[in-house]
Amino acid sequence: MSTTALYNDQQGGAEAAVEAGQESTATSSSSGAAFGLFSTDFKKNEDLKEMLESNKESLKLEAMKRIVQLISKGKNASDLFPAVVKNVASKNIELKKLVYVYLVRYAEEQQDLALLSISTFQRALKDPNQFIRASALRVLSSIRVPIIVPIMMLAIKEAASDLSPYVRKTSAHAIQKLYSLDADQKEQLIEVIEKLLKDKSTLVAGSVVMAFEEVCPDRIDLIHRNYRKLCNLLVDVEEWGQVVIINMLTRYARTQFTSPWKEDGIFDENEKAFYDSDSEEKQGQREAKPYIMDPDHRLLLRNTKPLLQSRNTAVVMAVAQLYWHLAPKHEVSIVTKSLVRLLRSHREVQYVVLQNIATMSIQRKGMFEPYMKSFYVRSTDATHIKTLKLEILTNLANEANISTILREFQTYVKSQDKAFAAATIQAIGRCATNISEVTDTCLNGLVLLLSNRDETVVAESVVVIKKLLQTQPTQHSDIIKHMAKLFDNITVPMARASILWLMGEYCERVPKIAPDVLRKMAKTFTAEEDIVKLQTVNLAAKLYLTNSKQTKLLTQYILNLGKYDQNYDIRDRTRFIRQLIVPSEKSGALNKYARRILLASKPAPVLESAFKDRDRFQLGTLSHSLNIKTTGYQELSDWPAVAPDPSVRNVEVIEPVQEWAPSLGKAKKPKSDDKFYSDDEEKDEEGSGSGSEDSSSSSSSGSSEESGSESEEESSRDLEKTSSDSEKSSSGSEASSSESESQQKEKKRAKKVTPRKSKQTAADSGSDENGNGPLGKTSSSSAESSSSEESDSSEDSDSDSPAPQKKTVGKTKPKVEVKSKKEVSLLDLDDFSPAPPSAPKSSVFSSSLLSDLEGLSLSNVSSAMQVTTSSFGPVKTYELLHHMTGKGLSAKYHFPRQPCLYQPSMVAVQVILTNSSDHSLEEIHIGDRSPASLNVHCFNTVERLEPGASVSVSMGIDFSDSTQAANFQLCTKEDQFSVSIQPAVGELVMPSTMKEPDFCSEQRKLMGMNETSATIAMATANTSKQNISKQVLSVANVGVVSSDQNNLQRFAGRTVSSGALVLVTLELRESSTALLTINTEKTVMASMLLRDLKQALYQA
Amino acid sequence: MIHSLFLINASGDIFLEKHWKSVVSRSVCDYFFEAQERATEPENVPPVIPTPHHYLISVLRHRIYFVAVIQSEVPPLFVIEFLHRVVDTFQDYFGVCTEAAIKDNVVVVYELLEEMLDNGFPLATESNILKELIKPPTILRTMVNTITGSTNVGEQLPTGQLSVVPWRRTGVKYTNNEAYFDVVEEIDAIIDKSGSTITAEIQGVIDACVKLTGMPDLTLSFMNPRLLDDVSFHPCVRFKRWEAERILSFIPPDGNFRLLSYHVSSQNLVAIPVYVKHNITFREGSSQGRFDLTLGPKQTMGKAVESVLVSSQLPRGVLNANLNPSQGTYTFDPVTKLLTWDVGKINPQKLPSLKGTMNLQAGASKPDENPTINIQFKIQQMAISGLKVNRLDMYGEKYKPFKGIKYMTKAGKFQVRT
């Protein structure tokens, strides 16, 4: 500007003035006739001011629209600030919005004037309308004026406790803005974040996590208590929030859980051992395998899985990276399909996804191999997409598919896109080095390409051949000769240099040609590129050493040329080489070793993927995409060797819990084994556990979300209470009888929380696994014998007894539970698994449990816990599908007698699928069912069942308290088999716990029609109290009501579906007879139950 | 997150900028222009470009680059997906997303961008919510606005943002209640020289246009849901229900939306509805080449193959082409060497063909690659995978809606290598 002005002064011409005017800003006040060229622009601003100051709304609006146009073009309109800011309180919504746009854009530059608008916003912050409050906060926080920081802080704090979730969401956004304006407010802002993190609204979750990531990503401790809530809310959060939350949780999980990866290798071994049924060996291995997945870890994986189906590619990618970084290796592959799906999306999406797949495919070929064809290149792809696809195809190449891939590559080499053709040649080279079978084929193919007409192709081939020859320094002198012939035609420096290098390196193999090439090079030396010159010098030196007779003069000549070259590298090199090879008095000892230095055998270059080192970055991040560490990148930490205390994630921390949780954790340890054997089953169960929650929340009623989480919380609180109760009671009396109230929970947990010492667990889980096998049978019988004993001896004796106690599960587990609680201090810490979770689990699952338990008065429990012997008879296994009819697929089922996770009104059914055919079965799932209204919770499709393998899956069926069979189809990929499950009437009942007086009072209400009774004859062996209860419990899933009357035995239960009470009374009479009375509303059930009980008691 | 957005047209002018945080100078785009120069084709510009202080993430749609400026770590797909959502919204609002349309509606664009992002974090991207906030400009409304001075900013407040079904407006009313579903399948295939299929996949979408009063709850079931190998849903679809029963159950958004996209696995055999006989040769030495192309239908289940368009990128050495189409018209662009042949409908009795000679540059050597042929076509009333909608039921409302379903098969990325 100043120079122009100077010029202006000197010349003083009108033309120069115009020029100067153009340079100056539009607001320049010095107007004159000469400024015609830009005066329109200038005028515009002038009349804008007038328009803004007019009284007409429409004029103001028109002016604002034009101003926005100016802003959008990047022109400066800041001088209108005073005129614009006056309209901030306008009634016209559009005008107001445009003023906001302007304000946010220019407030930073006009801080003093911007303050004029603040009071308007402050007033609006108190507006009864939530949207006005929100938008006021939004604009207020977007004005980057440091003076108002205290006002903003106040507004944020207030908004954070606003009743409207929308305002709270806005306050979460405002936190980030304030933080970027004034980082000193961090501490206060963290407080607000902490508060907002507790928010249960899905609207807020995404934004507050975003604020968390921005302000205090290191304050992991704030997440603990909200972890489960976030996991559960995730499905319903808006898609952008999902991405942020998933990324944050990925980081969180890596600090809180132990690695699920090490175990995969052991898995197979162990399974084999199991089928060998050598219990000794089993135990040994089990102890070597301390891993169990933290239920919270599982919760995260389970709740993110449905998001793979999102339409938002960023969400899918976020889940994919979460699985990649957190899931056990064998589960990662579920993301493959979804990632491949993303390849159909826009070019940019493809680019990022392919980058990530490239990184993944290096480590896990198997994941993407089935989808290899999706990576075939189309001629219409952009070059960088093509190169990435090529990269992936190369990574996927193995002995089996290499021929297909090479055929595909042949097409690519001919591509018109020469950069891509060159990349293909590189890829062929990589395949050749990686897969030794095809090295020769590739080499031949590449040699053929040497006669290609395109220079880049030839050059690239030469370079690749050079590398390949180096890896295989065998008899390839033919190829070298061929290349020497081509040398005259090749002009690409890199290729020429490569040939020269090859000549030098293998000069002894081509003794006649090499000197000739050198001769040619001497002629053209000065015209060559630097890189070629260097290699010429190199070749000369090598030839001098091997064949000095012929080449001495040539070498001297070239060295002389090099000495005076323009490039200092070449001069240096020449000097060095000369000293090295030409003996003179100055060159010392080095000279002697020249030959060894220059002609040392060189290690072959390793042709590696360009994505080799990208795995240091978290997948899906910007850093990964660029392969550089970007600002603000949060390193993904390594798995901790020992998981931090999982109890921190408990939502309600009450004193007892703190002692309780860790103890539970310990009790959990052997659970790993359980899980290990019945992996699928457990997964299923867990999955479905959330299933019911999820379905309720996603069933689109907003309140269900809230209530869901509330009830969950409540349930966990309840659980804690009861458990602490149970602890009290059990410690009071050495747990001769297990607790009643928590029994069901324990039962539920029994799956996960198995006794501490492993033998018993092994038996449990083992028999769960193949319930009908010979092992299962023996164990069940032995269990029968032992089940009636009160297992005070519990662990020690258990672990000694080699006979697996199959169906004592229900009985012993709660007990051991109690035991382990008491033994906390005695346990050697080293024995524990590093990740003792489980208190978490309770809260996760307990919501459904709690509903089962509803109707039980808690007061009963707390005061005098009259504990029923939690007891189950041996579980019968029924055949669902014989392997003859099922074409090799056989299925058996039993009732595990646990509250169904999916829905409280369902009966849990455990199905064991075995493949007795000689080929693997795929996609086993449940097909059509009848009656159509039948409410069945299917197990997840079993993708693949290897021959001889069996898998146990759980499902839930709502029988509606009738013994009508549930018919459905069991489908494999090829076949469908109609099967039916007919429940015994006793399985339609859940045990109910009550005290004797309650029992009597309930019984009195169910007289008359509701009472069914019969005198029955009893087998003599059966008259002992224990035997009777055993028999009754084997027939019906009821709970024992303890009684002090010797001749009376009482059992209570509720029907699963309707929750009607079922009360069973057995009065012993003389001479092996007894009066059996059943009181229930369900009279049909009563008579059926009576018949069953009669039979059982008579027979046994 | 997203700091600023620049819109750049094909000739490299920045014609719109928007900042959500402090202003970033537009000189940051110089790095983008550099990358653009390096790339030979517009599509070859890398989507993610690092600069010393910022990162540029761009998408190219309708020959406009949408360049987002990022300052710190963020998942790139997050930004890319958002930018595409912006483009979709513009398209939804203005019908087309061109430079002219954006410039004409710059105020609406600004208002939209303001609502879509807050401090760089997406706020409202659901088109139903946006339409409540800012009414799309129509000719009628523009006229009314200019006369009455009313605005296109919605008077009512965006209640949708708060509801549990944020994708649906409340209080929707129609006199004619209708729900239309289009099942559109695209075949992606690569056919090799000899006519055998190298790879073929079917990608399908179900686009819906639902105009129903109130809060209807729809279920849509398929005759053969197992065909669908991999699916992605509009957020309105209840995932659990699909998992358990393979039924689509949803409260639909109002208006047009994509309900479902799916993939039919490549394991299933894909019927290829057209075949191509080609004979494209260049003789060594002579400056002529022969071009002979015939199209024919196969496996179309009696349906006509329509809107056939053949395009091929001929080798660089080709100067011009003298061809003779049996039907339709062809064009050859001597600059880009792109040959396009608009065939129209294939008549099975009289197969369309394009025959003639190509002239090569004098002295140029024989091109070593034969061109690939890209084919587009449409087949109405057929979903090539065999997917069939079984029934559509509505719950929650009393009236009887009019329901319609349409099937169509299209060529996706359909290439024939010669």
Side-chain angles (χ1 to χ4, degrees), chain A residues 89-330:
Chain A
S90 165
K91 291 266 184 311
N92 183 316
I93 293 187
E94 184 167 22
L95 180 58
K96 194 148 84 172
K97 279 197 173 165
L98 294 178
V99 172
Y100 285 178
V101 168
Y102 183 90
L103 204 56
V104 171
R105 171 69 179 76
Y106 287 115
E108 208 172 4
E109 298 167 25
Q110 307 262 345
Q111 306 217 346
D112 294 344
L113 288 168
L115 293 178
L116 294 175
S117 61
I118 303 298
S119 63
T120 321
F121 297 125
Q122 279 180 306
R123 223 174 306 129
L125 281 172
K126 302 269 185 295
D127 197 281
N129 186 314
Q130 49 175 331
F131 290 100
I132 295 178
R133 289 202 301 276
S135 87
L137 179 62
R138 217 179 123 190
V139 182
L140 179 69
S141 55
S142 300
I143 297 174
R144 286 168 294 271
V145 179
I147 303 172
I148 62 162
V149 163
I151 300 176
M152 276 164 75
M153 192 69 225
L154 209 67
I156 289 173
K157 274 186 181 163
E158 222 157 87
S161 38
D162 198 289
L163 281 178
S164 152
Y166 185 65
V167 178
R168 296 202 297 271
K169 183 191 176 76
T170 319
S171 80
H173 286 244
I175 291 173
Q176 306 163 50
K177 299 181 206 167
L178 181 53
Y179 180 67
S180 65
L181 187 64
D182 181 5
D184 293 344
Q185 304 293 321
K186 188 171 174 180
E187 287 313 310
Q188 285 195 62
L189 288 174
I190 290 176
E191 275 170 36
V192 183
I193 290 175
E194 192 174 1
K195 182 173 176 189
L196 284 172
L197 274 172
K198 291 194 187 114
D199 205 301
K200 289 198 186 71
S201 163
T202 51
L203 214 54
V204 184
S207 303
V208 69
V209 171
M210 188 63 225
F212 170 84
E213 290 282 75
E214 202 118 305
V215 178
C216 52
D218 46 338
R219 288 289 303 275
I220 284 287
D221 56 300
L222 297 179
I223 302 299
H224 290 321
R225 303 256 231 107
N226 302 296
Y227 173 82
R228 284 176 210 147
K229 185 196 73 195
L230 284 174
C231 287
N232 288 324
L233 287 185
L234 197 57
V235 192
D236 296 306
V237 175
E238 39 85 36
E239 38 196 4
W240 309 108
Q242 284 173 347
V243 178
V244 177
I245 296 177
I246 292 173
N247 281 325
M248 187 275 290
L249 289 179
T250 309
R251 222 156 33 78
Y252 176 85
R254 281 292 278 259
T255 63
Q256 296 300 315
F257 307 127
T258 48
S259 167
W261 293 343
K262 292 170 208 147
E263 317 312 326
D264 290 358
I266 312 171
F267 190 91
D268 292 340
E269 265 174 65
N270 250 349
E271 193 159 62
K272 262 180 233 134
F274 169 70
Y275 287 110
D276 290 343
S277 73
D278 184 336
S279 61
E280 283 310 309
E281 201 180 307
K282 238 189 293 171
Q283 192 170 5
Q285 282 182 344
R286 213 170 306 114
E287 267 157 16
K289 181 185 177 297
Y291 178 73
I292 39 158
M293 184 178 277
D294 189 305
D296 284 335
H297 189 170
R298 174 54 66 199
L299 176 77
L300 178 62
L301 293 177
R302 189 182 359 139
N303 282 3
T304 47
K305 193 178 163 201
L307 298 179
L308 281 175
Q309 252 69 48
S310 171
R311 65 168 174 173
N312 189 319
T313 56
V315 175
V316 177
M317 189 65 232
V319 178
Q321 67 84 19
L322 180 131
Y323 265 78
W324 178 258
H325 290 293
L326 296 181
K329 296 274 190 215
H330 58 278

Side-chain angles (χ1 to χ4, degrees), chain A residues 351-392:
Chain A
Y351 175 73
V352 177
V353 173
L354 285 171
Q355 280 185 327
N356 285 293
I357 292 179
T359 306
M360 289 165 130
S361 61
I362 292 173
Q363 288 181 35
R364 306 279 307 273
K365 275 186 192 189
M367 251 175 95
F368 293 96
E369 217 197 304
Y371 295 90
M372 196 174 79
K373 288 189 171 174
S374 304
F375 303 107
Y376 279 7
V377 174
R378 289 162 203 280
S379 61
T380 41
D381 288 332
T383 306
H384 54 252
I385 302 278
K386 286 182 187 165
T387 341
L388 281 168
K389 283 186 172 174
L390 198 62
E391 174 73 40
I392 293 167

Side-chain angles (χ1 to χ4, degrees), chain A residues 799-916:
Chain A
S799 52
D800 290 340
S801 74
Q805 307 193 339
K806 178 178 179 178
K807 288 313 165 190
T808 48
V809 183
K811 189 166 212 163
T812 49
K813 269 179 193 162
K815 292 241 18 209
V816 176
E817 173 78 42
V818 170
K819 264 248 138 173
S820 63
K821 249 178 256 159
K822 301 183 51 189
E823 283 187 1
V824 172
S825 52
L826 302 176
L827 291 171
D828 188 342
L829 274 167
D830 293 345
D831 272 350
F832 305 152
S833 81
S838 82
K841 177 148 295 148
S842 51
S843 76
V844 174
F845 290 112
S846 49
S847 63
S848 61
L849 281 180
L850 194 75
S851 57
D852 292 337
L853 296 174
E854 268 163 9
L856 303 175
S857 60
L858 283 170
S859 59
N860 270 353
V861 185
S862 56
S863 58
M865 278 260 277
Q866 278 288 20
V867 192
T868 61
T869 5
S870 86
S871 40
F872 297 64
V875 167
K876 287 186 196 119
T877 306
Y878 308 89
E879 178 138 87
L880 189 60
L881 180 65
H882 191 264
H883 68 86
M884 294 300 283
T885 44
K887 298 189 186 166
L889 176 70
S890 69
K892 296 180 170 117
Y893 70 94
H894 65 262
F895 297 95
R897 293 196 171 178
Q898 289 166 350
C900 183
L901 289 161
Y902 314 108
Q903 273 175 32
S905 65
M906 283 182 172
V907 177
V909 182
Q910 196 75 31
V911 182
I912 295 135
L913 302 164
T914 311
N915 183 356
S916 3

Side-chain angles (χ1 to χ4, degrees), chain A residues 61 65 68-69 71-74 92-94 97-98 101 105 108 129-131 138 144 166 169 173 176-177 203 206-207 210 214 238-241 243-244 247 306 309-314 317 337-338 341 343-344 346-353 373-374 376-380 382-384 408 411-412 414-416 418 452-453 620-623 625-626 628 630-633 691 694-695 698-702 923 925 929, chain B residues 1 15-17 19-23 26 43-48 50 55 57-61 71-78 80-82 84-85 103 106-107 110-111 114-115 117-119 121-123 125-126 133 151-155 157-159 161-162 164 186 188-190 193 198-199 201 203 226 229-235 238-240 244 251 284 313-316 365-366 368-369 371-372 374 413 415 417:
Chain A
L61 194 59
K65 282 185 176 172
V68 167
Q69 248 157 20
I71 296 175
S72 76
K73 287 186 194 125
N92 183 316
I93 293 187
E94 184 167 22
K97 279 197 173 165
L98 294 178
V101 168
R105 171 69 179 76
E108 208 172 4
N129 186 314
Q130 49 175 331
F131 290 100
R138 217 179 123 190
R144 286 168 294 271
Y166 185 65
K169 183 191 176 76
H173 286 244
Q176 306 163 50
K177 299 181 206 167
L203 214 54
S207 303
M210 188 63 225
E214 202 118 305
E238 39 85 36
E239 38 196 4
W240 309 108
V243 178
V244 177
N247 281 325
Q309 252 69 48
S310 171
R311 65 168 174 173
N312 189 319
T313 56
M317 189 65 232
K337 256 187 206 174
S338 308
R341 185 187 70 224
L343 296 181
R344 274 284 295 183
H346 298 286
R347 176 184 67 96
E348 297 84 6
V349 175
Q350 278 187 44
Y351 175 73
V352 177
V353 173
K373 288 189 171 174
S374 304
Y376 279 7
V377 174
R378 289 162 203 280
S379 61
T380 41
T383 306
H384 54 252
E408 190 65 18
T411 324
Y412 302 163
K414 284 187 261 165
S415 164
Q416 292 180 25
K418 289 307 165 199
N452 194 294
R453 221 170 290 108
T621 58
L622 189 60
S623 303
S625 237
L626 293 169
I628 45 170
T630 56
T631 31
Y633 174 73
D694 284 357
S695 65
S698 62
S699 67
S700 88
S701 74
E923 292 184 25
H925 62 278
R929 57 204 76 156
Chain B
M1 289 241 154
F15 67 93
L16 187 123
E17 61 179 72
H19 308 273
W20 283 273
K21 301 183 186 180
S22 303
V23 177
R26 47 166 78 192
E43 296 91 52
N44 285 352
V45 180
V48 187
Y55 307 96
I57 298 186
S58 63
V59 306
L60 172 68
R61 296 235 343 230
Q71 214 154 29
S72 62
E73 175 63 50
V74 60
L77 270 186
F78 185 98
I80 290 170
E81 177 81 22
F82 175 79
H84 281 298
R85 217 54 88 74
K103 277 181 169 169
V106 70
V107 177
Y110 240 68
E111 284 167 348
E114 189 72 27
E115 291 299 335
L117 278 185
D118 181 14
N119 195 37
F121 189 78
L123 192 63
T125 49
E126 206 55 66
L133 291 165
T151 68
N152 57 354
V153 170
E155 291 293 328
L157 294 156
T159 44
Q161 230 157 348
L162 296 179
V164 279
E186 292 192 355
D188 288 356
I190 301 177
K193 224 177 239 183
I198 294 178
T199 159
E201 294 177 326
Q203 312 277 348
R226 296 209 63 79
D229 185 38
D230 182 49
V231 284
S232 76
F233 301 114
H234 190 274
R238 296 180 183 113
F239 182 71
K240 288 287 161 190
I251 294 175
E284 195 70 68
Q313 182 76 50
L314 296 185
R316 241 164 272 150
S365 55
K366 168 182 171 259
D368 46 24
E369 190 204 28
T372 18
N374 295 301
K413 297 173 183 162
Q415 291 199 337
R417 292 177 178 164

